[in-house]
Amino acid sequence: MNPSSSTTGGAGSDDNTSIRRNSNRPKYSRFTQQELPACKPILTPKWVISVFLLVGIVFIPIGVVSLLASRDVVEIVDRYDSVCVPLNSTDDKIGFITNSSIDKTCVRTLTVPKRMKQPIYVYYQLENYYQNHRRYVKSRSDQQLKSASKRDATGSCDPEDRVNGLPIVPCGLIAWSLFNDTYNFTVNNNQLLNVNKNGIAWKSDIDHKFGKDVFPLNFQTGPLIGGGQLKNESLDKQEDLIVWMRTAALPTFRKLYGKIEVDLEAGDTINVTLLNNYNTYSFDGKKKLVLSTTSWIGGKNDFLGIAYLTVGGLCFFLAMAFTVVYLVKPRQLGDPTYLSWNRNPGGN
């Protein structure tokens, strides 16, 4: 072997290795080498105590105000599914609710505990009702609801997609199971309380999800009737349906039925004449009628106020505990000037 060739080849190999090594090296900058100025706080006891104290001072008043606002909401809740069954049908509630020849009228009497300022929101509350079931949620056709030209788009509506070969509008299990209990109110035995059912649905749903040219077709005409009937008008005007079609995430939920737009005084007696039509007995569900006012924070819900009070109280307790520990048994802290980034800020 020629020594000169070997030497030349070795030098060339070293040059190639050096070129590859240099080509893989990133271009130097303070950013890529993480040498930019940075804030590196030292959590001293004074800082920790101050932060906990600040959170407590801010959160506790917010919790108190939120809790008081929730307590100002007046709410009447009446469960009626069990009491609106005749005594001779208590052993066969399913037979009672599915027999269309039996009168389902029921009268309930409610007493107003405190003055209720308008608007008074009327809700129906269902329990043990899983609207979030995957098959139930998917059984609808948004294309069909939005445009009359898509009335045959029932592919996702099984099993309530067609009847006698004709499309059902609106199709699907959600629309088929529309809530159909009704409520009529009088106060002090003679004064009729009108329930305004306009404006109970989300405006975005009315404008963008339900078409002005879509009308009910072949709805609830199959062998098995699920829930309520629809009026012969466009779907964007049928707000009961629009409210129902916005499915709930939890098995216990409320949906808006309407609004009472007069004040009710403490001690007023409300007579409710309702039709107990909706079948919740097949799955051990519960039905409740809810009358509620609102505050700036919404409906009656103590959770937000309790959560703020809990977090604020815990932070305040920790601030006091750390203060006592710091005063009784202080700990000598190191000098931060000896930290490497303080001795050599440039990192070189």
Side-chain angles (χ1 to χ4, degrees):
M1 180 179 293
N2 190 343
S4 61
S5 300
S6 176
T7 303
T8 304
S13 177
D14 292 341
D15 292 341
N16 292 336
T17 303
S18 177
I19 292 173
R20 286 199 302 271
R21 187 184 299 116
N22 291 334
S23 64
N24 291 333
R25 180 181 298 171
K27 183 179 179 180
Y28 173 80
S29 70
R30 298 188 67 186
F31 176 77
T32 59
Q33 298 303 317
Q34 300 183 15
E35 294 176 357
L36 293 174
C39 178
K40 301 172 183 177
I42 306 299
L43 295 180
T44 63
K46 292 181 180 179
W47 267 105
V48 174
I49 292 171
S50 300
V51 170
F52 276 127
L53 192 60
L54 179 63
V55 172
I57 291 174
V58 172
F59 274 42
I60 290 176
I62 294 177
V64 171
V65 172
S66 301
L67 200 58
L68 291 177
S70 176
R71 298 292 171 87
D72 285 340
V73 174
V74 184
E75 189 175 88
I76 303 173
V77 181
D78 179 57
R79 179 184 175 185
Y80 64 88
D81 60 283
S82 56
V83 296
C84 286
V85 177
L87 294 177
N88 59 356
S89 299
T90 53
D91 294 332
D92 186 17
K93 296 179 180 179
I94 298 177
F96 159 75
I97 202 69
T98 55
N99 190 342
S100 59
S101 63
I102 299 178
D103 184 18
K104 308 295 193 310
T105 302
C106 180
V107 178
R108 302 290 294 157
T109 301
L110 310 175
T111 302
V112 179
K114 293 170 60 178
R115 187 171 189 267
M116 302 180 73
K117 295 182 180 180
Q118 62 167 314
I120 301 169
Y121 295 93
V122 182
Y123 301 91
Y124 54 88
Q125 177 173 318
L126 299 178
E127 298 182 12
N128 198 36
Y129 194 118
Y130 289 84
Q131 273 199 320
N132 60 349
H133 191 285
R134 180 173 178 271
R135 187 178 182 187
Y136 184 88
V137 171
K138 291 183 65 177
S139 185
R140 61 183 292 165
S141 174
D142 290 323
Q143 291 180 334
Q144 185 198 66
L145 295 173
K146 191 174 181 179
S147 174
S149 62
K150 300 290 185 179
R151 72 176 189 177
D152 289 318
T154 60
S156 59
C157 293
D158 184 68
E160 291 298 320
D161 51 353
R162 293 178 175 271
V163 57
N164 298 325
L166 300 175
I168 299 173
V169 182
C171 66
L173 289 174
I174 305 178
W176 173 80
S177 60
L178 175 64
F179 186 81
N180 62 339
D181 284 4
T182 61
Y183 312 105
N184 292 295
F185 301 89
T186 58
V187 60
N188 299 328
N189 294 323
N190 53 14
Q191 183 181 354
L192 179 66
L193 288 178
N194 293 317
V195 178
N196 183 5
K197 305 190 74 171
N198 295 321
I200 62 174
W202 289 21
K203 188 175 185 301
S204 59
D205 289 351
I206 297 174
D207 294 340
H208 304 295
K209 292 187 177 182
F210 294 82
K212 294 179 172 58
D213 59 345
V214 183
F215 290 81
L217 180 67
N218 303 316
F219 187 70
Q220 301 289 24
T221 58
L224 186 61
I225 305 300
Q229 299 285 344
L230 293 176
K231 302 174 184 177
N232 188 24
E233 58 185 17
S234 60
L235 296 187
D236 69 309
K237 297 179 181 178
Q238 308 208 37
E239 296 193 38
D240 282 336
L241 173 68
I242 299 174
V243 170
W244 180 256
M245 294 291 286
R246 180 168 283 276
T247 53
L250 300 175
T252 297
F253 58 86
R254 293 178 180 178
K255 290 186 181 290
L256 188 58
Y257 181 82
K259 295 175 288 185
I260 297 175
E261 297 176 327
V262 295
D263 294 343
L264 296 177
E265 303 298 331
D268 283 351
T269 301
I270 303 174
N271 293 314
V272 185
T273 304
L274 61 89
L275 290 179
N276 182 27
N277 293 319
Y278 201 70
N279 181 12
T280 57
Y281 307 105
S282 299
F283 52 89
D284 295 325
K286 299 177 182 178
K287 294 189 290 187
K288 295 179 181 179
L289 171 64
V290 181
L291 276 66
S292 177
T293 59
T294 58
S295 67
W296 62 269
I297 205 170
K300 190 175 186 63
N301 187 354
D302 294 341
F303 174 77
L304 185 62
I306 293 173
Y308 270 106
L309 285 175
T310 301
V311 174
L314 181 61
C315 290
F316 187 81
F317 170 77
L318 291 175
M320 295 297 102
F322 288 160
T323 301
V324 171
V325 172
Y326 180 65
L327 294 176
V328 173
K329 193 176 180 180
R331 177 183 175 185
Q332 186 67 32
L333 297 177
D335 188 349
T337 60
Y338 285 96
L339 294 173
S340 61
W341 53 80
N342 287 333
R343 287 190 289 107
N344 191 7
N348 296 320

